[in-house]
Structures are given as structure tokens and as C-alpha cells.
Amino acid sequence: MRRAVIVGAGIAGLATAVRLGRDGWQTVIVERAPARRRSGYMVNLIGAGFDAAERLGLLSALTERDLGVFTTVLVRADGSPKFTVPAAVAEAAVGPRAMTVFRGDLEAVLFDQATALGGTAPDFRFGTTVTAVDQHPDGVRVELSDGTTEEADLLVGADGVQSRTRTMFFGPDFRVDFPYVVLAFPVAGDASGTAVTHIGPGRTAAVVNLGPERSSAFVTYRCDDPGAELSQGPAAALAGAVGDLAVGLPATVPDDAYFDRVSQVAMPRWSDGRIVLVGDAAWCVTLFAGHGATLALTGADRLGACLREHSSIPDALTAWEATLRPEVVRRQATAKRGMMQYAPPTRFHVAMNDLTMRAITLPGVRNLVRRAIERQSR
Ligand SMILES: Cc1cc2nc3c(=O)[nH]c(=O)nc-3n(C[C@H](O)[C@H](O)[C@H](O)COP(=O)(O)OP(=O)(O)OC[C@H]3O[C@@H](n4cnc5c(N)ncnc54)[C@H](O)[C@@H]3O)c2cc1C
């Protein structure tokens, strides 16, 4: 039986454990957090992400948690409406093979799927991290902070954009920080099925009202010094950057709000022998690309497929990277366009965005948009 140590119980780590466990691998998941993280913002699974969720057996559980599509009400800073993109338009644009779920729900479904694997369910080590790794021709020896040592065939670093596995083995230089921060958190919201959204020069703030336990706020803005923004904490940052906007943001922000800088990871290789990085650790594309969860699921699913096809682990990892890299490169380029949409530099760019969004509501254009989304999601 082949063994893998997976660092990180996020989307990429859990999906890798599900995929490998199905093929008879024994896995140990090492997660730094003391328990499963539940914090959530919304992620879309469209095209390849939806397909990967289906192959990983997640669809029926995810369908129960699908937040569906909603109407977007674009508003001015004072809250007065500019125009509306109805839910039916969004639905027609993304097509039937799409869903929107909270990241925490996707993680919960993956966790349930992993623990239901029976004899190959992962051995979870919460509150634990990797302290040392020795790679030798026949395997990897991994020392953990709980004092135990694991012998494995493969070490998977799925420890996110700040990956310590990456800095330990590949060096410190692959993260590219952008001058933006993002803040996302659950809110009480109402049940109107609307996303009240303001997009102005350098910033976006939205409150998605889908009823109790389903409503959330999302804010992103451009700033010269993301580190200084983060150090003042989410509540002060929220008040300073978007406190003047009437979109329905609450005055308080929960402690477990997602609040981080926006960074990509660009590496020439994602593996070295029997050590491989998956998900944001290897290729973070940023929220502006909108495909991070999709790529984490697709990457894990294809990693399993390549390890099944190739008896040599380094060969499997090389083949896997060749299938995935073009998609990642494309998404990282898309992210740069996304920055213009979420934080348009000038009023002129805001007006151009508005024109594009208004055009989506026209039937002929809607079909074109749908075809473009389908092409881009494959
Ligand atoms: C606001 C927002 C909206 C988004 N929207 C979308 C979207 O619409 N569609 C989409 O596809 N993607 C979206 N994404 C991106 C997506 O959420 C991520 O790309 C995806 O979750 C990556 O998962 P991951 O498992 O690679 O990393 P993570 O989710 O960061 O998981 C890493 C895990 O590793 C653990 N860890 C870290 N360091 C260590 C260590 N040293 N030892 C042990 N454990 C460690 C962490 O605690 C964590 O559990 C969005 C992101 C944001 C922020």
C-alpha cells in the first residue's frame, strides 16, 4: 500500500486525500489549525471545477448546499440603484453545470467524503505541522511537531498561498504580492436574493442577501501597503476603506473573517522527486481569477489519475504538471483582468465595466457571454 503525507486540510489537501484514498493510498493529513476551519466566502464551481467535483463524488452533497444564482443590484456610493442584473440572466450566462457554495461547505463535504473512505480514510493530525523532511531514493521521512515520524512514498504540500512546504524545499521567492486586500465574512443579511454591490475606483463592496446562515459580505480594495492594512485589523480596515458606502455592511466584523493580501504564486516547477505542491501552495491564481477552488479540485483529481497511470512517482508528477500548467498560466493572466473589474483604476474604467454588465442583460449578448464562459471554463 502506498502512503502519502499531505500538509494542509484545505480544499486541495482534502481533495488529494479523497482521490488517493479511492486508489488505495494510505494518507496522513497534517493540519496546523487545531480543528477544521469553517470560515467561509463564496466560491463558484463552473466547467472544469464542476466536472472535478462530480468525479470526486461531491455533487449530491454540494447540491444541497448550493447557494444558487442571485440578482445583482449595482448601486452608487449612497446606495441608490444604478441598474440590476437579474438572477435569470446570471443563470443563463453560467449554464446548468455550475454551483456556488461557501468555501467552508466545500471543505465540509470533502471532509465527509474523506472520512467515509473506510480503510483508506486519512489519519488526521490537527494542531500539527511538519518539522523536518528527509527525501531518499525510496521515499520521504517526515518528522511532525507531535513528535511522530512518518515514512511515505509522497509528500504533498497543500498548505496554501503562504506554504511552508514551498519555502522549505523550493525557496522563498515565488510569491508575487499585489497592492490589494480582500475581506469576506458572513452577515445576517435579508432573504431578498440580491447582491447589493458598489464598484467604484479602486474598490468593490458587496453584501449578498440570501437569508440566515447564507448571507455574506465581500470587500476588496487597492492600497499601497497591504501589510499596514492587515495590521490595523479587519474592522478598522473596513471602516477606513468602505465605511462611506451604503451597501448594508455591518458595523462589526467577526473574528474569523477572511482578511488577507492578494498574492499569486508563480513557480517554474511544482515538484522535486517525491515532494509535490498542490493548490494555492503551487499556483495561487487569486480570487480575481475566480478559479482557485476549481484548480485545487482539478489539480488533486488529475494528480490521482497520473499517479495511477505511472508506476514511477517522479514520472507521474512530471506528467501531471504538463497537463495542468497551461490552465494555471491562463488563469493567472485572467486575474490581472479581474483586478480591473473589482478595483477599476478610474471612473472611466468603472463606466466601461457598467456598460459591459448592462450589455449582459441583452438576450443576444447573453448567449455570447455564455459561450465565452463555457470556453473559458474548460
Ligand atoms: C474571497 C475569495 C473568493 C474566492 N472565490 C473563488 C471562486 O469563486 N472560485 C474558486 O474556484 N476559488 C475562489 N477562491 C479561491 C479558493 O478559495 C482557493 O484558491 C482555494 O481554497 C485553495 O485551496 P488550498 O487548499 O490550496 O489552500 P487553503 O484553502 O489556503 O488551505 C491550506 C490549508 O493548509 C493549512 N496550513 C497552512 N500552513 C500549514 C502548515 N505549515 N502546516 C500544516 N497546515 C498548514 C491551512 O490551515 C489550511 O487549512 C476565492 C478566494 C477568496 C479569498
Side-chain angles (χ1 to χ4, degrees):
M1 187 179 270
R2 297 211 274 183
R3 283 174 63 78
V5 173
I6 299 171
V7 192
I11 312 279
L14 289 168
T16 303
V18 168
R19 188 60 178 79
L20 296 187
R22 284 234 199 109
D23 285 346
W25 285 66
Q26 200 76 61
T27 59
V28 176
I29 299 193
V30 180
E31 168 58 51
R32 186 177 54 186
R36 219 160 49 68
R37 299 179 327 162
R38 287 166 203 282
S39 54
Y41 42 81
M42 291 187 295
V43 297
N44 299 314
L45 298 176
I46 306 175
F50 192 95
D51 297 347
E54 188 169 43
R55 280 196 299 277
L56 290 164
L58 312 176
L59 271 199
S60 65
L62 284 177
T63 303
E64 286 169 26
R65 299 163 193 240
D66 185 7
L67 296 165
V69 287
F70 38 83
T71 294
T72 300
V73 183
L74 262 291
V75 298
R76 298 183 185 84
D78 64 3
S80 60
K82 270 201 219 176
F83 62 91
T84 296
V85 182
V89 170
E91 191 162 23
V94 293
R97 288 179 68 78
M99 59 172 71
T100 301
V101 291
F102 282 120
R103 183 194 170 286
D105 281 348
L106 176 54
E107 234 183 64
V109 166
L110 280 164
F111 181 81
D112 291 348
Q113 191 80 355
T115 49
L117 284 167
T120 58
D123 169 4
F124 282 97
R125 309 279 180 84
F126 286 102
T128 307
T129 189
V130 170
T131 50
V133 177
D134 175 31
Q135 179 167 205
H136 51 86
D138 300 325
V140 275
R141 188 181 160 82
V142 187
E143 288 176 30
L144 304 180
S145 59
D146 62 4
T148 60
T149 299
E150 296 291 329
E151 287 288 346
D153 301 281
L154 179 67
L155 174 67
V156 180
D159 44 352
V161 65
Q162 321 271 12
S163 172
R164 197 158 156 264
T165 314
R166 185 179 68 239
T167 48
M168 267 168 99
F169 293 102
F170 300 87
D173 300 326
F174 303 108
R175 211 180 77 198
V176 182
D177 294 335
F178 295 106
Y180 303 90
V181 292
V182 61
L183 177 56
F185 52 96
V187 295
D190 59 40
S192 59
T194 58
V196 180
T197 307
H198 174 80
I199 305 177
R203 60 183 181 165
T204 285
V207 173
V208 186
N209 295 294
L210 302 176
E213 311 284 310
R214 291 162 61 91
S215 298
S216 58
F218 169 80
V219 171
T220 186
Y221 58 93
R222 192 183 164 93
C223 51
D224 292 335
D225 186 353
E229 295 297 314
L230 296 181
S231 64
Q232 63 174 313
L238 186 79
V242 292
D244 60 316
L245 298 179
V247 291
L249 288 165
T252 54
V253 182
D255 289 344
D256 63 350
Y258 176 82
F259 183 39
D260 208 352
R261 65 179 77 229
V262 176
S263 310
Q264 283 188 340
V265 173
M267 303 179 71
R269 286 193 64 195
W270 297 330
S271 69
D272 175 9
R274 292 167 176 271
I275 299 168
V276 64
L277 301 175
V278 182
D280 282 3
W283 58 64
C284 184
V285 292
T286 77
L287 77 141
F288 294 131
H291 278 72
T294 284
L295 284 169
L297 292 181
T298 313
D301 183 48
R302 290 197 200 157
L303 177 63
C306 288
L307 286 165
R308 195 180 189 159
E309 276 165 29
H310 297 263
S311 53
S312 145
I313 286 181
D315 287 354
L317 299 183
T318 304
W320 166 75
E321 182 163 337
T323 71
L324 212 59
R325 189 170 276 282
E327 214 165 310
V328 166
V329 169
R330 196 157 57 95
R331 294 294 166 206
Q332 291 194 327
T334 313
K336 303 207 169 127
R337 287 203 296 278
M339 288 171 205
M340 296 292 248
Q341 278 158 12
Y342 285 104
T346 65
R347 288 192 184 284
F348 173 75
H349 290 87
V350 174
M352 288 296 108
N353 280 353
D354 285 357
L355 263 182
T356 312
M357 289 183 78
R358 279 178 200 268
I360 293 173
T361 58
L362 304 171
V365 178
R366 204 182 303 167
N367 291 337
L368 287 176
V369 170
R370 179 176 176 164
R371 281 202 287 276
I373 290 177
E374 276 169 5
R375 268 200 311 279
Q376 279 173 23
S377 307
R378 296 285 146 203

